[in-house]
Amino acid sequence: MSDDLVILFQNIGLTEQKAKETVKNKNLAPTLEKAIHAAGFQDKASDKSTGALLYALASTITPGAQPHLIYLARVIRDSKLTTTDQVSAAIKFVNDKAEIDEAKFNEECGVGVIVTKEDVTKAVDAYTETVKDRLVKDRYKFFGMFFGGAKAIPSLKWANGGDIKEAVDAKMLEVLGPKDERDVIVKKKKETKVETKEAQKTEAVADASKAPDMFFEGELSKLHVPGGNPQIKPELMVEHLKATGGKYVTRFPPEPNGFLHIGHAKAININFGLAKAHNGICNLRYDDTNPEAEEERYFESILEIVKWLGFTPSQVTYSSTHFHRLYELAIELIKKDKAYVCHCTGEEIQKHRGGPERGPRTACVHRDRPIAESLELFEKMKNGGFNEGEAILRMKMDLENGNPQFWDLVAYRVLKSAHHRTGTEWVIYPTYDYTHCLVDSFENITHSLCTVEFTQSRPSYYWLCDALEVYKPVQWEYGRLNVANTILSKRKIAELVNKGHVFDWDDPRLYTLPAIRRRGVPPQAINNFVHTLGVTKSDTVIEVTKLDTFIRDYLNDTAPRLMGAFNPIKVTLENLPEGHEEMITVQNKPKDPSMGEHSIPFTREVWIDGSDFREVDDKDFFRLAPGKTVGLLNVPCPITCTKVIKDSNGKVVELVARYENGTGIKRPKTYIQWVAESPKHGSPVRLDEVRLFERLFHHANPQDKREVPGGYLSDINADSLSIEKGAIVEIGFWDVMDRWAKTSETKTDYEAMRFQLTRIGYFCVDKESDLGDFRSHGDRSLKESVKKIILNRTVSLQVSNTLKK
Ligand code: ATP
Ligand code: MG
């Protein structure tokens, strides 16, 4: 059955690999199957673009639009919808509709509207005339605004984003000529040499991973252009533009109360990526307004991970830097009669909010107290005159509003905890609702991007900026990235750590970013993964195995191959002389000379992998068995097993074989890997531990009580970690380490020593290894000082599926 599905999915242009993954996706597969049948591609292949649109339809359709799936698939088949923007518009249009008015549908979704490249060029030409002065003055710095403006041209609503960008680029070149020294963005010159090198390295990761296309299509392409967002007073925009020069300014604002996880990789890519795509800037902002949960190690880890992913914050900022300014503004808010000190308890506040059981919403008795009284009490709060819970400052918003975000949110609370940066200076701290929009405003953020659960907060965000008459950024929400088969919640991970189910927060079985990093996953693989998800408003749940595909793809192109063996068995080649030694040159990656080569010894005694020998042969086994001939990878002649030596328990301990260097031996069917015994060359390299990881939870949604009634702790896979001891690897391993030692800046990023163990999987060095003096000197002659080598399996070569149904 699932084979048929794989073929069906290939009909619309998916690769075999992708088709197989899609079959496993329980949500997507049935929808896609139905769409393909509806469009009539069950027995024939669609053209590529139709296929891509059907895929986009199935993967983004909302539950409310599902009843119209067949209709939409047919419209795509009939080429009435030709871009993903149109497909999104169509989904939106039919969502929750019982019947579809075709004329309206056609109009809303741009059916039949064809915008050719020439149309685009013409429209962009005309638009250029209206902004020419600005273009000539600001030159390439004007790109973001120019492009944004072009996209907003009504006749280009259904044009391809790529065509618009092409036309804009061409126009800029025509008007301005190529970039010259006027277009160089001057950077501050404080950096030391080492930092510059580091910056180049991170730039390289970012460049390799940048996918600007995603910022120029779909929802993201419809964002406003800096300068285009209305303000309560026009002069605020003038000030703002003066400060930013019209640049895009974004920020990634983690709360430093835990380690970042895979979901944050999406947030990081979107914030840094959007800014970069428009030549703008992105800050890393620690949203550190809750002293109780914050710890030094989180601050450090967050910055390190952002850089590791390849992004360089334009500035590292802290909400706490603005505590004074926030406090001053709170006073101003009280003076405007838009905030008051309140003494209600949490329970009382709940009661006032009303509801089916609690009756109508009501104001509390403190709401109308005189301004002077609130001012005095707020001062008292600040001076420690209240205990925690005795007083709060609330914004006086709109109790009549249907949105709970208007029901007098808390702006300040008393917290008698020392703060990581401000020590004991404050005993009152601002809330997220109060702080976030104001700090966005102070930092002149143009696009405040956040996840969809903040959609309801958007009006209250705007309310506060307007109430204080400060510059108001635009908030825009995107869907969260959730990953199945794992847990991302800080509290739950803490429990896993505390109860000893995992080593620590960076245990490679977890999906925190430090854990993924430690497992050896290259940052580019994560970025590539995030880019293919695109940016939409819907939350996505992705199988962890989906990320594995990106890891394999990236490592396949970049990781050198080494031979090695688990459970090694020694094979003595009886007809070679004692002390025989040949050096053999092997390519780091077969058929890819650009990856270089290295040499290894070939001697009279070699080790092979335990699984490559079978004492009892069978017709489906092509590797080594008594009397059988097999090739050794990279070695000129094959070997034939002549004798099996066992210990007193009957266990095979050694094999004797003949090296077939005479004439008349046929090419063997199969080649196996091997490692020579050669103390002189330090071969084999003995590995103290190889850690193999499987998924940590059996079920897709371990925290879902319906799926796992016993709770996620009951769902832990007892075999998620296995440790192989006694494995060996060839001396090409030292080349991997040498290269690392020469390029590593920090000498702590052991996970960057990555390679493929031929036919087994991709591995990296774990941070618990003890590399002795080698670590700091990177000199191969110091390999004797390496005391302990632990490897992590980053990913196996094959897809494994052990999910419980
Ligand atoms: P969590 O509750 O998982 O710890 P959070 O929202 O509290 O997440 P923050 O540190 O406050 O985490 O988040 C920093 C930024 O990252 C925010 O803009 C947030 O919206 C975004 N973010 C957090 N989790 C995800 C996710 N799963 N997918 C996409 N973006 C996310
Ligand atoms: Mg948070």
Side-chain angles (χ1 to χ4, degrees):
M1 177 58 209
S2 75
D3 279 355
D4 291 349
L5 263 191
V6 172
I7 293 169
L8 183 74
F9 290 172
Q10 285 175 277
N11 276 354
I12 57 155
L14 299 193
T15 59
E16 189 180 343
Q17 170 92 325
K18 177 115 189 195
K20 283 185 177 158
E21 276 162 34
T22 307
V23 169
K24 284 201 214 109
N25 185 328
K26 280 184 286 173
N27 295 325
L28 177 55
T31 311
L32 186 60
E33 186 182 4
K34 202 164 148 195
I36 296 174
H37 279 275
F41 295 114
Q42 57 273 43
D43 303 313
K44 57 174 189 217
S46 73
D47 66 75
K48 216 175 146 199
S49 58
T50 307
L53 293 178
L54 286 171
Y55 186 83
L57 169 68
S59 55
T60 58
I61 192 162
T62 51
Q66 274 282 359
H68 302 294
L69 178 71
I70 293 177
Y71 178 81
L72 295 178
R74 293 192 179 145
V75 182
I76 291 175
R77 173 199 61 193
D78 299 341
S79 303
K80 288 184 174 167
L81 303 176
T82 55
T83 65
T84 45
D85 278 351
Q86 284 182 317
V87 173
S88 329
I91 292 174
K92 204 163 156 194
F93 181 80
V94 304
N95 193 46
D96 291 336
K97 283 213 171 64
E99 271 175 48
I100 299 164
D101 174 337
E102 195 174 328
K104 275 212 185 113
F105 176 87
N106 291 350
E107 194 190 319
E108 274 299 307
C109 310
V111 171
V113 179
I114 293 169
V115 189
T116 63
K117 283 195 180 195
E118 277 119 57
D119 297 336
V120 173
T121 311
K122 263 197 211 140
V124 169
D125 279 352
Y127 167 65
T128 309
E129 292 310 313
T130 66
V131 291
K132 200 149 188 179
D133 293 350
R134 191 73 198 277
L135 175 60
V136 171
K137 181 170 145 274
D138 290 351
R139 295 183 56 82
Y140 281 90
K141 291 182 205 82
F142 188 55
F143 170 79
M145 287 190 153
F146 187 38
F147 178 54
K151 277 184 312 186
I153 301 170
S155 67
L156 299 188
K157 182 167 181 206
W158 298 113
N160 177 310
D163 290 347
I164 302 180
K165 174 144 191 296
E166 207 173 278
V168 163
D169 284 341
K171 196 73 202 173
M172 291 189 92
L173 192 65
E174 180 193 316
V175 176
L176 305 174
K179 282 190 183 174
D180 59 27
E181 64 287 345
R182 284 171 292 178
D183 303 306
V184 177
I185 295 162
V186 188
K187 279 200 183 142
K188 283 181 237 138
K189 260 220 200 125
K190 257 192 330 219
E191 298 157 7
T192 65
K193 214 170 162 195
V194 176
E195 275 167 347
T196 313
K197 240 177 153 182
E198 173 72 6
Q200 277 167 358
K201 206 173 118 198
T202 49
E203 273 306 295
V205 188
D207 264 357
S209 65
K210 81 173 171 197
D213 284 356
M214 85 180 199
F215 298 105
F216 298 116
E217 51 189 38
E219 302 263 2
L220 272 183
S221 71
K222 296 177 194 142
L223 294 179
H224 81 287
V225 176
N229 44 325
Q231 301 295 322
I232 192 119
K233 291 193 300 196
E235 55 270 34
L236 292 170
M237 181 49 76
V238 176
E239 284 295 310
H240 164 74
L241 288 175
K242 218 197 274 165
T244 62
K247 268 199 172 127
Y248 279 67
V249 186
T250 60
R251 82 288 170 267
F252 169 60
E255 214 184 314
N257 64 349
F259 296 97
L260 299 181
H261 55 61
I262 181 85
H264 290 116
K266 178 173 178 183
I268 293 172
N269 267 280
I270 293 178
N271 280 297
F272 282 91
L274 179 74
K276 192 171 176 133
H278 295 281
N279 272 325
I281 59 173
C282 179
N283 296 337
L284 166 62
R285 181 196 315 149
Y286 294 110
D287 210 355
D288 56 347
T289 57
N290 182 4
E292 288 166 334
E294 293 156 14
E295 288 178 31
E296 173 86 32
R297 59 180 182 148
Y298 301 139
F299 283 83
E300 284 166 8
S301 169
I302 289 171
L303 178 60
E304 196 179 324
I305 287 293
V306 168
K307 288 188 178 166
W308 174 70
L309 281 176
F311 301 102
T312 314
S314 169
Q315 285 184 68
V316 176
T317 64
Y318 301 81
S319 294
S320 59
T321 304
H322 305 287
F323 278 168
H324 281 281
R325 196 162 166 198
L326 290 165
Y327 175 73
E328 298 300 328
L329 286 177
I331 293 175
E332 207 175 300
L333 203 61
I334 302 173
K335 287 185 180 158
K336 287 173 179 256
D337 198 19
K338 288 186 173 156
Y340 59 97
V341 172
C342 168
H343 307 284
C344 290
T345 60
E347 244 167 58
E348 283 164 337
I349 292 177
Q350 272 307 321
K351 209 170 125 217
H352 294 142
R353 291 168 79 103
E357 288 123 53
R358 296 182 296 262
R361 204 149 51 238
T362 48
C364 78
V365 293
H366 315 108
R367 195 173 203 258
D368 289 322
R369 72 179 0 153
I371 292 175
E373 196 176 302
S374 277
L375 282 172
E376 203 177 295
L377 291 167
F378 187 48
E379 169 96 22
K380 186 172 167 195
M381 275 172 73
K382 178 186 174 239
N383 292 334
F386 288 108
N387 289 322
E388 291 184 17
E390 284 177 357
I392 48 180
L393 182 74
R394 292 176 73 180
M395 301 180 241
K396 200 185 261 191
M397 301 172 85
D398 177 9
L399 299 178
E400 303 298 313
N401 196 307
N403 180 349
Q405 283 293 110
F406 276 96
W407 302 345
D408 291 4
L409 297 176
V410 178
Y412 268 88
R413 70 266 199 232
V414 176
L415 277 179
K416 300 210 165 158
S417 304
H419 185 275
H420 173 77
R421 292 184 72 240
T422 57
T424 51
E425 186 185 351
W426 296 91
V427 292
I428 54 169
Y429 291 93
T431 57
Y432 176 89
D433 285 316
Y434 179 76
T435 312
H436 198 80
C437 57
L438 292 180
V439 178
D440 275 352
S441 173
F442 303 158
E443 289 184 4
N444 275 302
I445 300 300
T446 55
H447 299 77
S448 177
L449 310 178
C450 61
T451 37
V452 284
E453 69 272 22
F454 292 103
T455 308
Q456 272 200 332
S457 312
R458 197 196 310 165
S460 52
Y461 177 114
Y462 293 159
W463 179 91
L464 184 56
C465 290
D466 286 345
L468 286 167
E469 299 184 23
V470 295
Y471 160 74
K472 178 173 59 182
V474 167
Q475 174 179 315
W476 187 82
E477 309 87 19
Y478 58 89
R480 286 177 82 87
L481 163 61
N482 299 312
V483 185
N485 296 111
T486 191
I487 270 175
L488 299 179
S489 136
K490 287 162 200 156
R491 190 180 55 75
K492 290 177 181 159
I493 295 181
E495 191 170 12
L496 292 171
V497 175
N498 295 338
K499 297 200 166 148
H501 295 293
V502 294
F503 312 139
D504 205 341
W505 283 82
D506 62 356
D507 184 301
R509 287 166 290 179
L510 295 173
Y511 281 79
T512 63
L513 288 168
I516 299 177
R517 175 182 182 178
R518 180 172 174 190
R519 181 151 65 90
V521 176
Q524 296 88 342
I526 300 177
N527 293 340
N528 293 344
F529 165 67
V530 169
H531 290 159
T532 55
L533 301 175
V535 185
T536 61
K537 294 250 177 207
S538 43
D539 288 347
T540 2
V541 183
I542 302 282
E543 282 277 332
V544 283
T545 47
K546 175 104 196 228
L547 173 61
D548 290 348
T549 313
F550 288 87
I551 303 171
R552 284 191 195 98
D553 279 356
Y554 188 82
L555 290 174
N556 180 40
D557 290 342
T558 54
R561 273 59 168 169
L562 301 181
M563 295 192 291
F566 289 179
N567 309 312
I569 310 180
K570 191 197 260 184
V571 184
T572 302
L573 304 173
E574 55 186 347
N575 55 330
L576 288 179
E578 291 282 349
H580 175 87
E581 181 191 291
E582 262 172 74
M583 288 312 281
I584 295 187
T585 304
V586 292
Q587 290 195 310
N588 288 336
K589 182 183 173 196
K591 303 195 199 95
D592 185 357
S594 71
M595 291 267 301
E597 55 188 35
H598 65 278
S599 44
I600 52 173
F602 172 60
T603 58
R604 187 170 185 268
E605 289 173 343
V606 297
W607 298 89
I608 65 167
D609 191 273
S611 67
D612 284 336
F613 172 76
R614 264 196 213 168
E615 204 186 348
V616 183
D617 195 12
D618 88 53
K619 67 173 179 19
D620 296 326
F621 185 72
F622 298 108
R623 287 164 281 167
L624 201 61
K628 210 157 163 176
T629 303
V630 79
L632 296 179
L633 279 167
N634 301 306
V635 174
C637 307
I639 62 171
T640 306
C641 179
T642 55
K643 193 167 152 198
V644 179
I645 301 171
K646 297 182 185 175
D647 64 12
S648 54
N649 299 320
K651 183 172 174 260
V652 177
V653 287
E654 195 183 326
L655 304 173
V656 179
R658 188 170 59 239
Y659 186 55
E660 304 286 7
N661 50 1
T663 48
I665 294 293
K666 279 193 295 185
R667 243 183 124 236
K669 274 208 187 89
T670 303
Y671 290 83
I672 61 173
Q673 55 182 320
W674 57 278
V675 180
E677 175 67 34
S678 171
K680 182 173 133 197
H681 290 97
S683 177
V685 178
R686 298 197 182 277
L687 304 172
D688 295 273
E689 272 184 30
V690 181
R691 296 177 180 171
L692 307 176
F693 308 104
E694 294 292 340
R695 57 180 41 151
L696 188 55
F697 297 98
H698 291 299
H699 287 84
N701 302 300
Q703 67 271 65
D704 184 337
K705 287 273 183 189
R706 284 163 306 182
E707 209 169 304
V708 186
Y712 63 98
L713 289 179
S714 73
D715 196 42
I716 292 178
N717 172 11
D719 300 321
S720 61
L721 167 69
S722 46
I723 298 181
E724 292 278 344
K725 300 223 174 189
I728 56 172
V729 64
E730 52 140 297
I731 60 169
F733 182 73
W734 299 115
D735 293 85
V736 173
M737 284 185 52
D738 278 348
R739 269 195 300 276
W740 169 80
K742 288 202 184 81
T743 50
S744 168
E745 300 280 350
T746 59
K747 307 281 188 230
T748 53
D749 53 340
Y750 287 12
E751 77 286 344
M753 290 178 256
R754 302 184 177 96
F755 57 91
Q756 184 196 103
L757 258 185
T758 303
R759 297 202 184 131
I760 301 180
Y762 293 101
F763 292 82
C764 76
V765 176
D766 185 71
K767 68 172 196 184
E768 286 176 1
S769 302
D770 180 351
L771 303 188
D773 292 338
F774 179 93
R775 171 186 160 186
S776 25
H777 298 85
D779 179 344
R780 197 180 182 120
S781 66
L782 293 171
K783 62 178 189 273
E784 296 305 327
S785 82
V786 174
K787 290 190 190 62
K788 192 171 188 184
I789 303 174
I790 300 174
L791 298 187
N792 293 327
R793 182 172 67 193
T794 306
V795 67
S796 59
L797 290 187
Q798 258 101 42
V799 181
S800 76
N801 199 352
T802 51
L803 187 59
K804 270 194 195 164
K805 296 280 174 219

